[in-house]
Amino acid sequence: MKCMRHLLWILLLCPLLAAARDNRENDHAQWNRDIAAFQATDRAQPPAAGAVLFIGSSSIRMWRSLATDFPQVRTLNRGFGGSEIDDATFFADRIVAPYHPRAIVMYAGDNDLADGDSPAHVRDDFAAFVRKARSYDADVPIAFIAIKPSVARTVLLPKIREANALVRAYAASQPGVSYLDVFTPMLGSDGQPQSRWFIADGLHMNRQGYALWTGVVGPWLDATLR
């Protein structure tokens, strides 16, 4: 009977603990040095207004071939560390507003899920980013690159699928907001992540992975900016 009571307490507490984790405050201060470095670069070499802003986590930061992958537009890379969606929103006054971007491409979300956020929280955080970005430029087109199915985070695949579906539905309801599906083509025929797209850590992408992303993002840019 005692064991049964303990089990019932655990079952009751699990949803409460999950909700508490989902509503926790992110430690934005950990990225202050990265943001300050961006601002120092901006002071030394002020970027021209009207570039396409790529923003988000390390998958953006490590996309070092942006300029050659999208030669038809000016690009600006503001990816930082293992950041989450709400980090980009928190620092938007410093790394979105000053640039008046022609369009914004975001990749983030898998760190959020790995850190315990729910798929709905990911969708809501992206919606908050859209509202923030459009408080500066009301009509700026914004694209969300789908959360990738990485080998290192195969355990998160069900949550990644759910988060992507929620973001896709949200994007479909908003003018000028798009969901770019890199998730589906990165899966194998068995529906599982493929190592071919990733470096040895199974989380960050190799050149082949970025080539796939370029093939998805490029048509959106062409259609949006023409």
Side-chain angles (χ1 to χ4, degrees):
M1 182 62 73
K2 191 178 212 178
C3 290
M4 182 62 71
R5 283 200 301 271
H6 285 165
L7 179 59
L8 287 172
W9 272 111
I10 290 171
L11 291 174
L12 288 170
L13 283 172
C14 279
L16 295 175
L17 292 172
R21 173 62 193 82
D22 197 40
N23 293 321
R24 65 60 179 120
E25 285 294 323
N26 195 1
D27 178 20
H28 304 297
Q30 63 184 307
W31 308 117
N32 280 335
R33 183 175 297 179
D34 299 76
I35 304 306
F38 289 143
Q39 292 184 294
T41 298
D42 293 343
R43 286 192 295 272
Q45 295 179 311
V52 175
L53 174 63
F54 285 74
I55 193 168
S57 60
S58 56
S59 291
I60 294 294
R61 178 178 59 83
M62 296 171 71
W63 200 343
R64 299 185 180 95
S65 58
L66 279 176
T68 54
D69 288 341
F70 305 105
Q72 74 277 25
V73 297
R74 291 194 308 275
T75 59
L76 185 62
N77 189 319
R78 288 297 177 263
F80 53 106
S83 62
E84 301 180 15
I85 296 170
D86 63 351
D87 291 310
T89 306
F90 183 83
F91 291 111
D93 288 343
R94 297 160 69 183
I95 59 168
V96 176
Y99 308 133
H100 298 288
R102 192 176 176 193
I104 299 173
V105 179
M106 167 173 273
Y107 179 81
D110 53 353
N111 292 326
D112 310 51
L113 295 174
D115 203 26
D117 284 347
S118 69
H121 195 131
V122 169
R123 185 266 322 278
D124 294 345
D125 278 353
F126 177 59
F129 174 80
V130 171
R131 290 193 297 272
K132 186 73 169 180
R134 287 188 164 169
S135 71
Y136 314 124
D137 295 285
D139 299 319
V140 62
I142 301 173
F144 182 92
I145 298 177
I147 302 171
K148 66 185 184 293
S150 62
V151 174
R153 290 175 171 168
T154 301
V155 68
L156 291 176
L157 207 57
K159 288 188 175 182
I160 291 172
R161 290 182 187 276
E162 184 180 351
N164 281 339
L166 289 171
V167 172
R168 182 197 289 267
Y170 163 75
S173 73
Q174 303 296 311
V177 180
S178 300
Y179 168 88
L180 305 181
D181 184 17
V182 300
F183 176 85
T184 302
M186 292 184 77
L187 293 173
S189 58
D190 59 356
Q192 294 299 305
Q194 292 185 291
S195 60
R196 62 183 292 200
W197 309 117
F198 299 94
I199 62 175
D201 66 6
L203 179 62
H204 298 101
M205 293 189 304
N206 58 27
R207 184 60 201 142
Q208 194 174 2
Y210 283 115
L212 185 152
W213 281 27
T214 300
V216 175
V217 176
W220 178 79
L221 284 175
D222 291 341
T224 300
L225 303 180
R226 66 176 175 219

